[in-house]
mmCIF file of all heavy atoms in Angstrom:
data_model
loop_
_atom_site.group_PDB
_atom_site.id
_atom_site.type_symbol
_atom_site.label_atom_id
_atom_site.label_comp_id
_atom_site.label_asym_id
_atom_site.label_seq_id
_atom_site.Cartn_x
_atom_site.Cartn_y
_atom_site.Cartn_z
ATOM 1 N N ASP W 63 112.313 117.857 111.939
ATOM 2 C CA ASP W 63 111.190 117.167 112.579
ATOM 3 C C ASP W 63 110.114 118.140 113.052
ATOM 4 O O ASP W 63 109.116 117.730 113.636
ATOM 5 C CB ASP W 63 111.669 116.278 113.725
ATOM 6 C CG ASP W 63 112.397 117.040 114.810
ATOM 7 O OD1 ASP W 63 112.615 118.270 114.662
ATOM 8 O OD2 ASP W 63 112.759 116.418 115.822
ATOM 9 N N ALA W 64 110.308 119.439 112.766
ATOM 10 C CA ALA W 64 109.322 120.455 113.146
ATOM 11 C C ALA W 64 109.351 121.612 112.149
ATOM 12 O O ALA W 64 109.501 122.771 112.524
ATOM 13 C CB ALA W 64 109.588 120.944 114.565
ATOM 14 N N ASP W 65 109.217 121.290 110.860
ATOM 15 C CA ASP W 65 109.252 122.300 109.809
ATOM 16 C C ASP W 65 107.934 123.074 109.804
ATOM 17 O O ASP W 65 106.858 122.488 109.908
ATOM 18 C CB ASP W 65 109.465 121.623 108.452
ATOM 19 C CG ASP W 65 110.056 122.555 107.420
ATOM 20 O OD1 ASP W 65 110.750 123.512 107.797
ATOM 21 O OD2 ASP W 65 109.826 122.319 106.213
ATOM 22 N N LYS W 66 108.021 124.382 109.697
ATOM 23 C CA LYS W 66 106.827 125.234 109.693
ATOM 24 C C LYS W 66 106.464 125.566 108.249
ATOM 25 O O LYS W 66 107.312 125.978 107.466
ATOM 26 C CB LYS W 66 107.083 126.533 110.457
ATOM 27 C CG LYS W 66 107.598 126.344 111.864
ATOM 28 C CD LYS W 66 106.554 125.744 112.763
ATOM 29 C CE LYS W 66 107.086 125.666 114.189
ATOM 30 N NZ LYS W 66 106.334 124.791 115.018
ATOM 31 N N LEU W 67 105.192 125.346 107.898
ATOM 32 C CA LEU W 67 104.724 125.730 106.580
ATOM 33 C C LEU W 67 103.244 126.062 106.641
ATOM 34 O O LEU W 67 102.575 125.791 107.632
ATOM 35 C CB LEU W 67 105.015 124.660 105.530
ATOM 36 C CG LEU W 67 104.419 123.277 105.661
ATOM 37 C CD1 LEU W 67 104.369 122.644 104.272
ATOM 38 C CD2 LEU W 67 105.301 122.404 106.524
ATOM 39 N N LYS W 68 102.766 126.694 105.576
ATOM 40 C CA LYS W 68 101.362 127.079 105.499
ATOM 41 C C LYS W 68 100.692 126.183 104.469
ATOM 42 O O LYS W 68 101.083 126.142 103.311
ATOM 43 C CB LYS W 68 101.224 128.547 105.109
ATOM 44 C CG LYS W 68 99.804 129.070 105.239
ATOM 45 C CD LYS W 68 99.718 130.562 104.989
ATOM 46 C CE LYS W 68 100.208 131.399 106.127
ATOM 47 N NZ LYS W 68 99.379 131.444 107.320
ATOM 48 N N ILE W 69 99.686 125.430 104.924
ATOM 49 C CA ILE W 69 98.910 124.534 104.077
ATOM 50 C C ILE W 69 97.436 124.883 104.266
ATOM 51 O O ILE W 69 96.963 124.966 105.402
ATOM 52 C CB ILE W 69 99.156 123.049 104.444
ATOM 53 C CG1 ILE W 69 100.636 122.679 104.271
ATOM 54 C CG2 ILE W 69 98.246 122.127 103.641
ATOM 55 C CD1 ILE W 69 101.132 122.632 102.842
ATOM 56 N N MET W 70 96.717 125.091 103.195
ATOM 57 C CA MET W 70 95.294 125.455 103.235
ATOM 58 C C MET W 70 95.073 126.671 104.144
ATOM 59 O O MET W 70 94.163 126.696 104.971
ATOM 60 C CB MET W 70 94.436 124.266 103.681
ATOM 61 C CG MET W 70 94.519 123.081 102.771
ATOM 62 S SD MET W 70 93.438 121.697 103.221
ATOM 63 C CE MET W 70 93.956 121.336 104.888
ATOM 64 N N ASP W 71 95.949 127.664 104.020
ATOM 65 C CA ASP W 71 95.885 128.905 104.800
ATOM 66 C C ASP W 71 96.021 128.698 106.297
ATOM 67 O O ASP W 71 95.598 129.533 107.091
ATOM 68 C CB ASP W 71 94.603 129.695 104.493
ATOM 69 C CG ASP W 71 94.580 130.208 103.067
ATOM 70 O OD1 ASP W 71 95.657 130.558 102.542
ATOM 71 O OD2 ASP W 71 93.489 130.236 102.471
ATOM 72 N N LYS W 72 96.604 127.549 106.710
ATOM 73 C CA LYS W 72 96.827 127.287 108.133
ATOM 74 C C LYS W 72 98.304 127.033 108.359
ATOM 75 O O LYS W 72 98.972 126.385 107.560
ATOM 76 C CB LYS W 72 96.028 126.071 108.595
ATOM 77 C CG LYS W 72 94.540 126.267 108.527
ATOM 78 C CD LYS W 72 93.813 125.036 108.990
ATOM 79 C CE LYS W 72 92.321 125.248 108.848
ATOM 80 N NZ LYS W 72 91.560 124.051 109.133
ATOM 81 N N ASP W 73 98.823 127.551 109.470
ATOM 82 C CA ASP W 73 100.203 127.266 109.859
ATOM 83 C C ASP W 73 100.236 125.872 110.464
ATOM 84 O O ASP W 73 99.446 125.564 111.363
ATOM 85 C CB ASP W 73 100.699 128.287 110.887
ATOM 86 C CG ASP W 73 100.817 129.677 110.285
ATOM 87 O OD1 ASP W 73 101.224 129.781 109.115
ATOM 88 O OD2 ASP W 73 100.500 130.658 110.989
ATOM 89 N N ILE W 74 101.125 125.022 109.949
ATOM 90 C CA ILE W 74 101.249 123.671 110.486
ATOM 91 C C ILE W 74 102.713 123.339 110.719
ATOM 92 O O ILE W 74 103.612 123.988 110.175
ATOM 93 C CB ILE W 74 100.603 122.612 109.570
ATOM 94 C CG1 ILE W 74 101.355 122.508 108.241
ATOM 95 C CG2 ILE W 74 99.135 122.889 109.327
ATOM 96 C CD1 ILE W 74 100.990 121.265 107.468
#
Side-chain angles (χ1 to χ4, degrees):
D63 59 356
D65 203 26
K66 306 292 184 197
L67 61 156
K68 190 174 284 288
I69 300 290
M70 299 183 303
D71 294 325
K72 295 180 183 174
D73 293 322
I74 66 165

